[in-house]
Amino acid sequence: MPESSWPENDSFNELESLSSLIADLSQLPDSDEPASQPNRRDGRRRKAAVVLVIIWSGTIALHLATWGSWFVLGLTTLMGIHAVRFLFARPIPVPEPLSDTELATSPLVSIMVAAKNEEAVIGRLVKMLCSLDYPDYRYEVWVIDDNSTDKTPVLLEQLTQKYEQLRVFHRPVGSAGGKSGALNQVLPLTRGEIIAVFDADAQVPADLLRRVLPLFERQRVGAVQVRKAISNLSRNLWIRGQVAEMALDSHLQQQRIAINGIGELRGNGQFVRRAALEQCGGWNEETITDDLDLTIRLHLERWDIDFMMFPAVEEEGVTRAIALWHQRNRWAEGGYQRYLDYWQPILQNRMGTRKTLDLFMFLMIQYVLPTAMVPDLLMALIRNRTLLLSPLTGLTRPLFVLGMLLGLKQIRRIPAIAAQKEPEVVASEGFVQASRFSSMQILLQALLGSVYMFHWLPVVASMTARISIRPKRLKWVKTVHKGATDLAVE
């Protein structure tokens, strides 16, 4: 497989200068780029250019056509009906955690962590993963050191002496495939029926396996994504925006699954059934977001992806605007690649009608609408008329604010529910502070989050234009995780 990026956690070294942002739009491929690439990667730029032309020309044509406004109103009505179904759907009940008597026959789990230069956080993660409330003989922990140049290899060797479940695999210099390549290389060495994948900066509660594994009792569940939360909480506006965004994402995930739509993997905190993963051919080494790519392939093979709201897997949020820009560009591009790569089986309805419809609606909201807003604004200025797409934007913005409100309220309710059974678990995830949020604070947080979400508009609009022009290099720039260095090795 060709060399790809290392899309493990975030996507930017916060010490880099602002010039790297400009390079995203202007930099040409390096001369040492491999001459031949798989057909899928070769065709992405051409397909992206075709889609971009269709969106721009279609938006301009709607401005010129007498029936253009009626078409937009009709599309808004259809999306509104879908939104009503979405809002009033009842989430699927979550099964009870595994009891002590059930642990003896519980599934064997292989936990995998791909790590590159993670000396600040790898010790803390290994300690957490090797101290789970799950029988030692029923799970194993694999940490894949992908040619780290810091103290990560030394720390891992020390940790193997302390934890029997820990297995360390060192990839040699020049190993291809990035994170996907690392996971694929070690997968044959694992024994688990369920494969769990975490990022190196993850923080996990002790009872996580007990809670997640019952969701796999439904045989069509091929994967489960655990809700993600921010670990480095602060008054930083970017961090507060990400908290609201993750609450929105959790609510969207839960409701999409409730209407038999698309559940999505988020990389950190994903659990995949081995049979489903092998049927899909493992992780794709030609994508910059392995989790989003695997999401589509699982659904194309008619597997379901479930979602676990409680407990959450915590991870570090980015704290600077330039870091956020690079991270979200990678996420946006990786998500967009899925439609370019798999458009034929999607149109063939291989997922089923409900999932295909749900995927289409979110394609419109996530990619088509932000891209079309640019020619819509230009045509409105040229013709001195109102924005043609305002009914669509008028529908989506309140839905996002409402989704954030509902997501934040649900997260706030979790401590009260959990405290009735397991008060010690509540404190472990920082839920004590969350439970003190007043309704007014939640409303302000949602309003702040809705403003924060506007950053996706320039990200998506510039990304769809950039990948239509510039040949893609599977490039990834790493975030420096700060963690707690005093927990490296105890």
Side-chain angles (χ1 to χ4, degrees):
M1 301 291 286
E3 183 177 359
S4 71
S5 61
W6 181 278
E8 183 188 347
N9 297 306
D10 299 329
S11 58
F12 182 68
N13 186 329
E14 295 188 35
L15 302 179
E16 284 199 11
S17 66
L18 187 63
S19 61
S20 58
L21 187 155
I22 301 173
D24 272 352
L25 297 174
S26 61
Q27 188 175 1
L28 294 176
D30 294 336
S31 58
D32 59 352
E33 179 74 6
S36 61
Q37 301 291 354
N39 290 334
R40 180 176 293 168
R41 273 182 64 187
D42 279 345
R44 283 176 183 162
R45 182 172 60 157
R46 182 179 65 253
K47 288 183 283 189
V50 170
V51 173
L52 184 64
V53 169
I54 292 175
I55 293 175
W56 273 67
S57 60
T59 304
I60 294 172
L62 288 175
H63 267 275
L64 299 177
T66 56
W67 45 266
S69 58
W70 290 105
F71 177 86
V72 173
L73 287 174
L75 182 59
T76 304
T77 301
L78 291 177
M79 294 184 68
I81 294 172
H82 186 78
V84 171
R85 292 183 57 243
F86 174 90
L87 290 173
F88 288 95
R90 291 189 176 183
I92 299 175
V94 178
E96 289 294 320
L98 292 174
S99 63
D100 291 340
T101 57
E102 293 173 314
L103 291 179
T105 58
S106 59
L108 181 63
V109 180
S110 295
I111 300 175
M112 302 176 70
V113 180
K116 186 177 182 70
N117 297 335
E118 299 286 5
E119 64 179 7
V121 294
I122 197 63
R124 178 185 63 194
L125 178 63
V126 168
K127 177 184 177 182
M128 289 182 177
L129 293 180
C130 293
S131 305
L132 296 176
D133 183 15
Y134 201 73
D136 293 349
Y137 60 91
R138 302 303 297 170
Y139 80 102
E140 58 183 357
V141 178
W142 283 88
V143 178
I144 308 149
D145 168 39
D146 201 338
N147 190 34
S148 296
T149 56
D150 63 358
K151 295 181 182 179
T152 299
V154 176
L155 295 175
L156 288 174
E157 289 305 316
Q158 296 175 15
L159 290 165
T160 56
Q161 305 301 315
K162 184 174 182 179
Y163 299 106
E164 294 184 1
Q165 305 105 305
L166 180 60
R167 310 284 187 271
V168 177
F169 185 91
H170 297 281
R171 299 188 84 202
V173 177
S175 296
K179 177 183 176 181
S180 295
L183 296 175
N184 283 333
Q185 190 170 358
V186 173
L187 182 62
L189 306 178
T190 63
R191 300 178 294 120
E193 175 188 345
I194 305 297
I195 309 297
V197 180
F198 295 96
D199 288 346
D201 63 327
Q203 297 185 43
V204 301
D207 65 342
L208 184 62
L209 297 185
R210 282 181 179 247
R211 292 183 175 275
V212 171
L213 294 179
L215 274 69
F216 284 96
E217 293 177 0
R218 193 159 58 90
Q219 292 303 308
R220 291 312 304 170
V221 172
V224 174
Q225 175 61 50
V226 178
R227 176 174 64 88
K228 297 202 303 180
I230 297 294
S231 59
N232 53 330
L233 295 176
S234 69
R235 298 185 66 84
N236 180 287
L237 291 178
W238 301 116
I239 291 294
R240 294 174 67 184
Q242 290 167 77
V243 169
E245 183 180 28
M246 286 189 174
L248 170 64
D249 181 68
S250 299
H251 180 72
L252 294 178
Q253 286 263 57
Q254 183 176 260
Q255 296 304 106
R256 293 177 73 180
I257 294 171
I259 61 173
N260 295 316
I262 297 288
E264 294 192 328
L265 298 177
R266 292 290 181 257
N268 191 14
Q270 67 178 19
F271 291 74
V272 188
R273 194 187 299 270
R274 178 184 289 272
L277 183 60
E278 291 177 346
Q279 185 177 358
C280 293
W283 288 275
N284 184 0
E285 299 178 27
E286 302 171 33
T287 180
I288 58 174
T289 49
D290 54 280
D291 49 350
L292 298 179
D293 182 273
L294 182 58
T295 292
I296 291 296
R297 289 186 289 127
L298 283 169
H299 286 295
L300 288 173
E301 296 294 341
R302 293 301 184 103
W303 291 97
D304 292 335
I305 297 178
D306 214 336
F307 181 73
M308 171 67 71
M309 180 66 76
F310 172 77
V313 172
E314 296 186 359
E315 65 181 25
E316 292 184 16
V318 295
T319 57
R320 298 174 60 193
I322 185 65
L324 187 73
W325 173 268
H326 280 270
Q327 183 191 68
R328 300 316 163 90
N329 264 277
R330 179 174 67 83
W331 289 1
E333 184 172 348
Y336 196 52
Q337 283 178 357
R338 302 178 299 171
Y339 299 100
L340 301 177
D341 291 347
Y342 305 109
W343 67 273
Q344 288 181 309
I346 290 173
L347 289 182
Q348 292 168 357
N349 199 29
R350 277 179 45 181
M351 297 182 180
T353 302
R354 292 186 178 183
K355 289 183 178 181
T356 302
L357 176 61
D358 177 71
L359 191 66
F360 171 77
M361 291 298 178
F362 275 84
L363 169 65
M364 292 291 300
I365 295 173
Q366 290 177 310
Y367 295 102
V368 176
L369 186 57
T371 305
M373 288 176 68
V374 178
D376 183 37
L377 177 60
L378 292 176
M379 289 297 294
L381 293 174
I382 292 172
R383 307 189 72 200
N384 195 26
R385 294 187 178 180
T386 59
L387 295 171
L388 185 67
L389 301 179
S390 55
L392 284 171
T393 57
L395 171 67
T396 56
R397 288 172 188 169
L399 285 176
F400 277 14
V401 175
L402 181 59
M404 284 184 186
L405 276 172
L406 295 175
L408 289 167
K409 287 185 65 175
Q410 186 171 16
I411 293 171
R412 187 186 69 164
R413 284 198 301 266
I414 288 174
I417 298 173
Q420 298 175 6
K421 298 180 179 180
E422 301 143 308
E424 70 281 357
V425 175
V426 177
S428 71
E429 201 179 327
F431 278 148
V432 174
Q433 294 90 331
S435 64
R436 295 173 182 167
F437 285 173
S438 66
S439 297
M440 181 58 67
Q441 287 175 313
I442 290 178
L443 176 60
L444 292 176
Q445 180 82 344
L447 293 176
L448 171 65
S450 65
V451 175
Y452 158 88
M453 288 294 289
F454 275 100
H455 77 273
W456 276 108
L457 297 179
V459 165
V460 173
S462 62
M463 179 275 299
T464 52
R466 171 171 49 83
I467 67 174
S468 303
I469 301 170
R470 175 185 166 192
K472 176 59 187 173
R473 296 174 305 141
L474 289 178
K475 175 187 175 183
W476 181 80
V477 186
K478 181 177 173 51
T479 290
V480 176
H481 291 132
K482 299 177 181 178
T485 54
D486 58 332
L487 289 177
V489 176
E490 296 185 352

